[in-house]
Amino acid sequence: SSSQMASMGIMNEGYFVGRKELTQWIRDNFEPSFQKVEDLASGVVYCQILNTVHPGSVQMSKVKMAAKTEVDYLHNFKCLQAGFNRKKISQRIEVEKLTKRSFQFNMEFVQFMKCYADMHLGSATAPPPSAEAKENSLPSRPAAAPAPTPAAKRAPPPRDVVSSGARRVGAGAGQQAGKAAAAPQQ
């Protein structure tokens, strides 16, 4: 469903999930001994996530679960890419950067993967956030967001950045009023 993927721009709330929450989600669902975002460079957890969302999409018997070398990491990302291709997922996998244990690239990619999993599984891998939890997380969002990348600059503008309708209407009404006031002067 590439239309769903297109709507999951960089401002999707999944991209504001912090490192601690992601680490706990991985421990709870995929790898109990998981410690560091950089360890995602092996590709194993990414394969597990995709295979949980779409059982059989990744040939898990071919994934090198104990991967310790870059050659094994690359092999695992080939398995992941094959799964993405099978499910027509258009998200680009920056294999070179992910396998080099880049915190930033792995953080962004695991945020994408969690967002994708939540979108397709709903509450199967995590409890749905309550309205109260969303409200409480708003102030911390900028601190948890990854540094902007060139991909972030190309992302389409967000349609629903703020989950509270009242705030969005308030902000939009101010912008609309400004436009309306400017229109009669023409």
Side-chain angles (χ1 to χ4, degrees), residues 50-170:
L50 185 61
N51 205 55
T52 298
V53 176
H54 302 294
S57 61
V58 177
Q59 292 180 287
M60 293 305 291
S61 61
K62 291 189 175 183
V63 174
K64 297 183 179 183
M65 302 303 275
K68 296 281 184 244
T69 66
E70 201 170 318
V71 170
D72 288 346
Y73 295 176
L74 290 168
H75 168 85
N76 288 344
F77 275 98
K78 283 182 184 165
C79 295
L80 181 67
Q81 184 66 66
F84 270 43
N85 294 346
R86 275 186 205 98
K87 292 296 161 190
K88 297 179 173 49
I89 301 169
S90 61
Q91 174 74 18
R92 189 164 172 350
I93 303 174
E94 302 264 3
V95 177
E96 286 298 314
K97 294 176 174 119
L98 293 167
T99 57
K100 297 272 194 265
R101 300 180 57 84
S102 158
F103 173 83
Q104 180 180 337
F105 282 93
N106 279 285
M107 185 69 181
E108 289 176 13
F109 196 69
V110 76
Q111 286 172 328
F112 163 80
M113 292 296 288
K114 180 173 189 321
C115 200
Y116 185 84
D118 289 349
M119 200 164 67
H120 289 276
L121 298 174
S123 61
T125 62
S130 64
E132 185 180 330
K134 283 184 181 177
E135 286 299 314
N136 292 340
S137 70
L138 283 174
S140 66
R141 284 184 174 184
T149 62
K153 292 180 182 129
R154 289 193 305 269
R159 295 203 181 266
D160 185 20
V161 175
V162 181
S163 60
S164 165
R167 285 197 190 130
R168 187 177 66 231
V169 170

Side-chain angles (χ1 to χ4, degrees), residues 17-37 40 45 49 107 110 114 125-127:
V17 176
R19 179 184 52 82
K20 287 181 182 173
E21 185 181 335
L22 286 165
T23 299
Q24 194 58 53
W25 177 70
I26 292 167
R27 282 188 195 136
D28 291 347
N29 294 286
F30 306 104
E31 179 54 57
S33 62
F34 180 77
Q35 295 295 321
K36 293 168 57 182
V37 168
L40 294 168
V45 171
I49 294 169
M107 185 69 181
V110 76
K114 180 173 189 321
T125 62

